[in-house]
């Protein structure tokens, strides 16, 4: 594999690559999601302590993992963008943020649904819940800041600084159940000690989390393609692409020709 | 180091020439703290339990309100650009501005807080801890706030956006600050909370100016 990976840091080269990858990630997301949910909702037995209610973990755990993971990935792209001044990094960060906010919201929402029957409360001011809520605020702050700046280059860089400052929160969320004696239970899965869950439930949960991961990649790639088109609309390759698409779809031809001028 | 002192002296002189700006922040703190007894009723027990949180949230909001001025005036008259062009590291200049901001917001707030604590019927030892916790915690607020102020410099709707960016990052300071007051009121040793506050302040004042300087460079591009 002697490929020039830097080639794909140019938006014009990344755009078609992303287009080719998207269907594959959708397919993987659908496959993992179907098998995971089937195992989790149909095959897995009822938990002897928590009853049917425990099944919400198949969504909750994956969403919580993704909410933290996406922020770390955003911070990674932010650092790359600030260090190497690449345009695509900022676009990736911007494309990931809404999905991260969605998963954070989903983690809090499903957590509330789980908390009501198990703890008897929709919400408690526990360290992990509070820090996850702060994460949601960080995502919203990031989106608000980048949308408030008109110049996309400045928006990318300002967002990158904010993402890097906010990344301090991620270890706090992750270790909150260890550092403080909280109501939220500790991790059931760990790399060093193995899992305290039944193997079947663990597989269902991991597959659901994988499905969310693949979904995140697919959706972010779609979003980043949109951002690329929007920001590069003055370049020749976008104009050529628009005209080429217009030739395939006569309905939009007049619009494409006007845009291309 | 002399750069930092020069910037502090300069910003203090500028701030003292407009004392009304200073006073408005303090009066904001007083008004917010006075609204709660009017809102929840004057029972001393209830007020005493609310006091740590209310006074700390009030101090936090008052600090936040004065943040936009940290860079905005210098940005509009071009002084900030000159400072950024100077041979001194921008991080040190921001450190000076952060400390100057603390001297005109955090320090008077800490001096004022015991007076408001009396309105909430706090015992005398607790008043001292309240003052000490605000004194220890507000430098971190100024430091983190500098990042937010630099990021939102010159944006429309900057004030609201600033609060959206900065308040989530203020939460740890609020937790340990109010925690210290709460602990001392319940007869528990508040030192653990105060040490953590001091740690946040050291971290905030040392690292935040450099993040804020990076944000300023982006805003000035």
């Amino acid at each position: 594999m002697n490929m020039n990976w830097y080639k794909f840091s140019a938006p014009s080269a990344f755009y078609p690559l992303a287009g080719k990858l998207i269907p594959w990630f959708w397919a993987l997301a659908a496959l993992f999601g179907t098998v995971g949910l089937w195992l989790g909702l149909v095959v897995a037995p009822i938990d002897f302590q928590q009853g049917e209610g425990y099944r919400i973990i198949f969504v909750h755990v994956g969403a919580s993992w993704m909410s933290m993971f996406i922020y770390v990935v955003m911070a990674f792209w932010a650092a790359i963008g600030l260090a190497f001044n690449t345009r695509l990094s900022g676009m990736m960060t911007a494309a990931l943020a809404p999905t991260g906010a969605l998963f954070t919201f989903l983690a809090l929402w499903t957590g509330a649904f789980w908390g009501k029957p198990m703890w008897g409360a929709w919400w408690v001011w526990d360290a992990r819940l509070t820090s996850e809520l702060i994460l949601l605020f960080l995502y919203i702050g990031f989106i608000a800041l980048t949308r408030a700046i008109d110049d996309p280059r400045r928006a990318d860089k300002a967002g990158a600084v904010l993402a890097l400052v906010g990344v301090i929160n991620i270890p706090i969320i992750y270790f909150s159940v260890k550092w403080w004696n909280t109501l939220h239970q500790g991790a059931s899965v760990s790399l060093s000690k193995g899992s305290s869950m039944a193997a079947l439930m663990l597989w269902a949960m991991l597959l659901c989390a994988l499905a969310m991961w693949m979904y995140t990649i697919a959706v972010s790639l779609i979003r980043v393609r949109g951002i690329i088109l929007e920001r590069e609309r003055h370049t020749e390759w976008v104009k050529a692409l628009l005209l080429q698409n217009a030739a395939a779809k006569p309905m939009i031809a007049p619009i494409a020709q006007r845009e291309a001028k | 180091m002399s750069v930092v002192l020069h910037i502090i002296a300069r910003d203090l002189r500028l701030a003292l020439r407009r004392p009304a700006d200073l006073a408005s922040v303090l009066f904001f703190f007083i008004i917010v703290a006075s609204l709660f007894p009017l809102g929840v009723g004057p029972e001393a027990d209830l007020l005493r339990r609310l006091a740590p949180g209310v006074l700390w949230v009030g101090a936090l909001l008052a600090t936040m309100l004065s943040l936009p001025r940290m860079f905005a005036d210098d940005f509009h008259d071009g002084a900030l650009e000159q400072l950024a062009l100077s041979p001194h590291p921008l991080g040190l200049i921001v450190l000076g501005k952060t400390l100057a901001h603390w001297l005109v917001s955090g320090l008077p707030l800490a001096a004022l807080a015991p007076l408001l604590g009396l309105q909430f019927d706090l015992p005398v030892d607790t008043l001292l801890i309240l003052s000490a916790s605000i004194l220890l915690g507000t430098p971190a607020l100024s430091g983190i706030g500098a990042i937010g102020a630099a990021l939102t410099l010159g944006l429309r709707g900057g004030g609201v956006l600033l609060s959206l960016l900065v308040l989530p990052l203020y939460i740890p300071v609020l937790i340990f600050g109010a925690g210290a007051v709460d602990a001392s009121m319940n007869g528990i040793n508040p030192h653990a909370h105060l040490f953590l506050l001091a740690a946040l302040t050291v971290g905030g004042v040392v690292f935040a100016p450099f993040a804020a300087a990076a944000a300023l460079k982006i805003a000035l591009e």
Side-chain angles (χ1 to χ4, degrees):
Chain A
M1 277 289 272
N2 195 6
M3 235 173 109
N4 185 7
W5 287 98
Y6 295 107
K7 183 184 150 200
F8 292 111
S9 65
S12 55
F14 188 73
Y15 182 87
L17 175 73
K20 277 191 208 110
L21 289 176
I22 288 168
W24 292 100
F25 284 110
W26 273 130
L28 284 175
L31 177 71
F32 289 143
T34 319
V35 179
L37 285 177
W38 175 70
L39 280 180
L41 301 183
V42 182
V43 180
I46 297 177
D47 189 86
F48 83 100
Q49 262 183 332
Q50 307 185 355
E52 294 279 8
Y54 87 93
R55 290 186 202 274
I56 208 151
I57 62 152
F58 297 121
V59 184
H60 176 72
V61 174
S64 315
W65 281 347
M66 288 316 293
S67 70
M68 292 186 273
F69 180 62
I70 292 175
Y71 201 93
V72 174
V73 175
M74 271 172 63
F76 167 77
W77 285 117
I80 297 274
L82 282 181
F84 299 107
N85 213 4
T86 45
R87 276 178 300 163
L88 195 59
S89 325
M91 299 183 191
M92 285 303 282
T93 325
L96 281 163
T99 312
L102 171 79
F103 276 122
T104 315
F105 179 75
L106 207 61
L108 290 168
W109 192 259
T110 52
F113 273 140
W114 187 86
K116 186 62 185 165
M118 304 303 167
W119 298 340
W122 296 107
W123 181 263
V124 287
W125 288 99
D126 148 296
R128 179 164 270 188
L129 276 68
T130 312
S131 44
E132 184 79 8
L133 186 66
I134 299 176
L135 183 64
L136 180 64
F137 294 152
L138 287 177
Y139 275 120
I140 291 172
F142 176 88
I143 296 171
L145 178 69
T146 47
R147 296 294 185 277
I149 304 175
D150 293 326
D151 171 22
R153 299 287 285 159
R154 188 187 161 190
D156 282 351
K157 286 184 178 170
V161 171
L162 184 67
L164 285 175
V165 170
V167 83
I168 303 165
N169 191 37
I170 299 295
I172 298 181
I173 303 179
Y174 190 74
F175 293 111
S176 58
V177 285
K178 269 192 199 164
W179 291 346
W180 291 284
N181 195 4
T182 62
L183 190 54
H184 193 289
Q185 69 208 56
S188 306
V189 188
S190 91
L191 288 177
S192 49
K193 282 185 291 183
S195 154
S196 61
M197 292 168 79
L200 179 68
M201 292 179 190
L202 178 71
W203 274 108
M205 200 175 81
L206 290 180
L207 282 172
C208 283
L210 268 178
M212 289 183 196
W213 193 353
M214 297 302 125
Y215 163 84
T216 306
I217 298 176
V219 167
S220 308
L221 286 179
I222 293 177
R223 211 174 278 127
V224 87
R225 266 164 66 99
I227 295 172
I228 290 175
L229 280 189
E230 198 183 333
R231 296 212 187 153
E232 306 269 299
R233 62 181 179 274
H234 307 298
T235 60
E236 287 305 319
W237 73 269
V238 172
K239 287 176 186 170
L241 188 82
L242 274 174
L243 284 175
Q244 196 188 327
N245 283 357
K249 291 178 201 146
M251 292 286 282
I252 60 162
I255 309 168
Q257 273 156 8
R258 201 181 62 219
E259 285 285 316
K261 272 173 204 160
Chain B
M1 198 58 220
S2 66
V3 190
V4 179
L5 294 177
H6 273 297
I7 294 284
I8 294 177
R10 170 184 176 275
D11 274 24
L12 276 184
R13 205 175 306 132
L14 284 175
L16 292 176
R17 280 187 190 155
R18 298 172 71 182
D21 286 4
L22 272 177
S24 61
V25 170
L26 295 181
F27 278 104
F28 174 83
F29 183 39
I30 299 174
I31 291 173
V32 168
S34 313
L35 284 179
F36 279 85
L38 300 175
V40 299
E43 293 125 84
D45 282 344
L46 182 65
L47 287 182
R48 216 177 298 128
R49 276 194 28 223
L50 285 178
V54 167
L55 292 175
W56 252 99
V57 170
L60 203 121
L61 292 177
T63 311
M64 199 197 71
L65 275 186
S66 59
L67 283 176
R69 278 203 304 274
M70 200 190 271
F71 299 119
D73 292 340
D74 285 346
F75 179 62
H76 287 305
D77 65 13
L80 195 61
E81 218 153 302
Q82 297 303 319
L83 285 174
L85 286 174
S86 77
H88 306 291
L90 191 54
L92 285 184
I93 293 170
V94 176
L95 175 65
K97 292 185 90 58
T98 308
L99 294 176
H101 176 264
W102 176 73
L103 287 172
V104 297
S105 68
L107 191 62
L109 287 175
L112 194 62
L115 204 64
L116 294 174
L118 280 179
Q119 286 190 321
F120 282 79
D121 196 31
L122 288 180
V124 177
D125 327 343
T126 308
L127 290 179
L128 287 177
I129 296 295
L130 172 69
S131 215
S133 70
I134 292 183
L135 209 57
L136 271 177
T138 39
L141 299 184
S142 295
I144 299 165
I147 305 176
L151 283 173
T152 56
L153 194 58
L155 299 183
R156 46 195 152 72
V160 182
L161 193 59
L162 176 65
S163 57
L164 201 61
L165 299 186
V166 158
L167 285 180
L169 300 171
Y170 276 2
I171 291 173
V173 180
L174 171 70
I175 290 175
F176 294 121
V181 184
D182 212 42
S184 109
M185 207 165 56
N186 294 319
I188 306 166
N189 191 338
H191 286 172
H193 288 101
L194 292 179
F195 287 150
L196 281 167
L197 264 187
L200 286 174
T201 284
V202 170
V205 172
V206 171
F207 293 113
F210 293 94
L216 274 184
K217 279 183 191 143
I218 295 163
L220 288 173
E221 253 171 26

